[in-house]
Amino acid sequence: MHREAGARMVGFGGWDMPVYYAGIVAEHKAVRSGVGLFDVSHMGEIEIRGPQSVDLIDSLCSNRAASLLNGQVQYSGLLNRQGGFVDDLLVHRISPDHYLLCVNAANQEGDFAWIRDNNEFEAELDFASERYAQLAIQGPSALAVASRLTDVDLAGMRYYWFAHGDFAGVPAMVARTGYTGEDGFEVYIPPAAAEHAWLAILRAGSGESIRPCGLGARNTLRLEAAMSLYGHEIDAEVTPYEAGLGWIVKLAKPAFLGREVLARQEAEGVDRRIVGFEMRGRGIARDGYRVLVDGQAAGRVTSASPAPHLGRNIGLCMLPVEFCSAGRSIDIEIRGRAVAAQIVRLPFYRRKRS
């Protein structure tokens, strides 16, 4: 279906994925101004059941899943013993004894093995990815489009909550979440219903000029919103405090993997962290480029791209904390040439909330 829609396909984490259809810029702007549809069925799902399921999650993750209510979603970090990220993930509380974790596609097998190998509780694990397709409806018009297809009260659903119900005639879990910086919904459905649901959403959004969107726009949208990407801003060597994600660390809860390292960082501070920058000179930064301070190599770009909505060239980079103040001048080395840039506050883009 993606090929029939004119998608340019690329390999991604073992999946054959659309990188764009009409073009990254057009798809990006559609999500910022109207609505876009993404096939994110490559994402992984892990279900955890049993009276001690929340104890297992809280022993391995930075945030506090025990604070969740039924139907609530939480962004968290699955950590290693050094406080680095095994992955970042969304925790959905279906009931006190049942949780659904949505994890990154390339990490899903490793995540499941990590949770299984560190399961010191009476919790049942289920590697459930093959039972779920996932479609993301994102943008200011997402509510109008999605509401035409479901009996779930989406207008009354708060951000980072979910509910079960009928969607396009099939059983679904609909969450008010996304990876674009816009309002939107992520719909979990049986894989056999994916084609039907994809077409139903496109028909329902025809009046809003809905566009199918690929990985390219998903990346530029999340970058404008300064959302972390595993393997770029976060990885096994980066802690939540270094990534600017200290808000997902709950040190007050019982012991969890990496807690000692994170407690020390919270008390003493970190030596480096992720910051945002905008290009001031003529040039486009790219992932992996060197960051120069006073002519000396000081860090590296983790993600960078032109920002279609903002009309600027932006990026994220890891730098020593002494160079991280907003307004500081830096340079990005582009093909052997130092090009001027400046540290700016994050996020680059924040949607207006009604």
Side-chain angles (χ1 to χ4, degrees), residues 73-109:
V73 189
Q74 182 181 80
Y75 179 63
S76 192
L78 180 65
L79 302 183
N80 58 33
R81 289 174 174 79
Q82 293 73 46
F85 284 87
V86 174
D87 204 357
D88 62 334
L89 71 168
L90 294 180
V91 179
H92 304 72
R93 174 169 150 159
I94 297 172
S95 75
D97 297 344
H98 186 188
Y99 292 78
L100 173 70
L101 312 182
C102 180
V103 302
N104 282 298
N107 295 345
Q108 54 190 297
E109 290 87 357

Side-chain angles (χ1 to χ4, degrees), residues 3 26 57 62 92-94 147 167 218 226 230 253 275 283 308 320:
R3 287 190 174 87
I57 295 168
S62 60
H92 304 72
R93 174 169 150 159
I94 297 172
S147 294
F167 188 91
R218 194 166 186 250
Y230 192 88
K253 70 175 185 174
V275 292

Side-chain angles (χ1 to χ4, degrees), residues 51-82:
Q52 291 189 300
S53 53
V54 72
D55 299 315
L56 173 59
I57 295 168
D58 272 342
S59 73
L60 301 178
C61 293
S62 60
N63 215 327
R64 187 169 183 269
S67 67
L68 291 172
L69 301 176
N70 289 351
Q72 193 171 12
V73 189
Q74 182 181 80
Y75 179 63
S76 192
L78 180 65
L79 302 183
N80 58 33
R81 289 174 174 79
Q82 293 73 46

Side-chain angles (χ1 to χ4, degrees), residues 22-354:
I24 293 173
V25 172
E27 292 163 22
H28 182 113
K29 290 183 175 181
V31 173
R32 287 280 180 255
S33 63
V35 61
L37 173 62
F38 299 81
D39 179 2
V40 288
S41 300
H42 60 303
M43 300 296 284
E45 289 82 22
I46 299 169
E47 295 194 53
I48 303 180
R49 292 181 174 84
Q52 291 189 300
S53 53
V54 72
D55 299 315
L56 173 59
I57 295 168
D58 272 342
S59 73
L60 301 178
C61 293
S62 60
N63 215 327
R64 187 169 183 269
S67 67
L68 291 172
L69 301 176
N70 289 351
Q72 193 171 12
V73 189
Q74 182 181 80
Y75 179 63
S76 192
L78 180 65
L79 302 183
N80 58 33
R81 289 174 174 79
Q82 293 73 46
F85 284 87
V86 174
D87 204 357
D88 62 334
L89 71 168
L90 294 180
V91 179
H92 304 72
R93 174 169 150 159
I94 297 172
S95 75
D97 297 344
H98 186 188
Y99 292 78
L100 173 70
L101 312 182
C102 180
V103 302
N104 282 298
N107 295 345
Q108 54 190 297
E109 290 87 357
D111 291 351
F112 182 80
W114 182 253
I115 297 169
R116 179 197 62 209
D117 293 347
N118 288 279
N119 183 8
E120 299 178 356
F121 302 89
E122 295 296 324
E124 176 188 342
L125 305 184
D126 182 8
F127 189 29
S129 296
E130 291 187 357
R131 295 206 305 273
Y132 291 97
Q134 186 183 343
L135 304 178
I137 310 165
Q138 299 285 296
S141 299
L143 174 60
V145 172
S147 294
R148 297 176 186 135
L149 296 168
T150 184
D151 56 3
V152 176
D153 178 18
L154 299 183
M157 182 183 292
R158 288 174 285 171
Y159 192 49
Y160 267 59
W161 289 74
F162 70 93
H164 288 85
D166 178 279
F167 188 91
V170 298
M173 187 180 89
V174 185
R176 200 164 196 168
T177 53
Y179 193 49
T180 64
E182 293 297 336
D183 189 20
F185 300 90
E186 294 181 309
V187 184
Y188 297 78
I189 52 176
E195 180 177 335
H196 164 75
W198 175 267
L199 292 174
I201 295 166
L202 290 177
R203 286 193 297 268
S206 60
E208 286 81 6
S209 300
I210 191 171
R211 282 185 181 270
C213 301
L215 287 175
R218 194 166 186 250
N219 186 54
T220 55
L221 288 159
R222 72 91 192 167
L223 178 57
E224 279 190 343
M227 294 178 166
S228 297
L229 174 62
Y230 192 88
H232 291 251
E233 287 69 50
I234 55 177
D235 59 32
E237 306 298 323
V238 176
T239 72
Y241 287 119
E242 293 172 329
L245 295 172
W247 59 275
I248 68 169
V249 178
K250 300 299 186 291
L251 293 173
K253 70 175 185 174
F256 59 94
L257 287 188
R259 187 188 184 283
E260 293 77 11
V261 173
L262 295 178
R264 184 169 63 252
Q265 288 186 343
E266 196 277 336
E268 300 175 0
V270 294
D271 297 326
R272 59 177 188 166
R273 64 182 175 90
I274 292 288
V275 292
F277 67 87
E278 290 183 3
M279 299 303 300
R280 298 296 185 228
R282 292 177 61 85
I284 300 173
R286 298 295 184 190
D287 304 5
Y289 282 9
R290 291 204 305 172
V291 180
L292 310 177
V293 177
D294 299 329
Q296 301 298 313
R300 61 179 177 84
V301 174
T302 56
S303 296
S305 169
H309 178 76
L310 300 175
R312 300 192 291 273
N313 295 322
I314 63 173
L316 299 169
C317 63
M318 181 73 80
L319 282 178
V321 291
E322 60 265 30
F323 303 140
C324 289
S325 56
R328 184 181 183 102
S329 295
I330 60 173
D331 292 299
I332 308 298
E333 188 177 74
I334 302 176
R335 293 186 293 276
R337 182 171 59 95
V339 180
Q342 187 177 58
I343 303 297
V344 297
R345 297 186 185 279
L346 296 175
F348 305 102
Y349 168 82
R350 191 189 303 273
R351 72 179 173 93
K352 296 179 181 178
R353 297 177 183 266
S354 57

